[in-house]
Amino acid sequence: MDKRLAFLLNNSNDILCVADVSGNIISVNNSWVHFTGHNPEESKGKNIFDLSHPDDRNKLTGVFGSISALRDIEGVFIRVQTLRNDYLRLN
C-alpha cells in the first residue's frame, strides 16, 4: 500500500476498510479495530459480505456493482458484525 494512503488510513477517526472488488478485505484502520474488535490480521482476507448483517448483503452487492461500474454511491448504510456479536452501522 502506498505510504501516503497508509498514513491517511491509519490516522483517520472514521472507520475505514479497504476491500477488493470481490469484497475481500485488504486493509483496515485503527478505528475499525477499536469499534469492531476485529484486529487487522484477522480482518485481512475475510470477506466484508461475511461480516455484514444478512439483511444488508443485497444492498452491499449493489454497492460493489456500482463501484465496478464507476457510479457514485451515496447514503448507503450497512451493518458489520463485531466480536461481541452485535452489529455496528456503517455508511
Side-chain angles (χ1 to χ4, degrees), residues 11-29:
N11 289 289
S12 174
N13 290 327
D14 292 329
I15 300 169
L16 299 173
C17 170
V18 177
D20 66 17
V21 295
S22 298
N24 298 309
I25 298 173
I26 297 168
S27 184
V28 297
N29 71 347

Side-chain angles (χ1 to χ4, degrees), residues 44-71:
K44 287 180 187 173
K46 283 191 177 179
N47 194 286
I48 192 68
F49 287 89
D50 296 332
L51 295 176
S52 66
H53 190 282
D55 293 344
D56 295 341
R57 291 185 182 146
N58 284 340
K59 192 177 351 179
L60 196 54
T61 298
V63 167
F64 275 83
S66 293
I67 291 169
S68 296
L70 301 175
R71 293 190 303 261

Side-chain angles (χ1 to χ4, degrees), residues 32-49:
W32 169 275
V33 175
H34 176 76
F35 287 102
T36 69
H38 297 286
N39 72 45
E41 306 317 315
E42 290 173 337
S43 298
K44 287 180 187 173
K46 283 191 177 179
N47 194 286
I48 192 68
F49 287 89

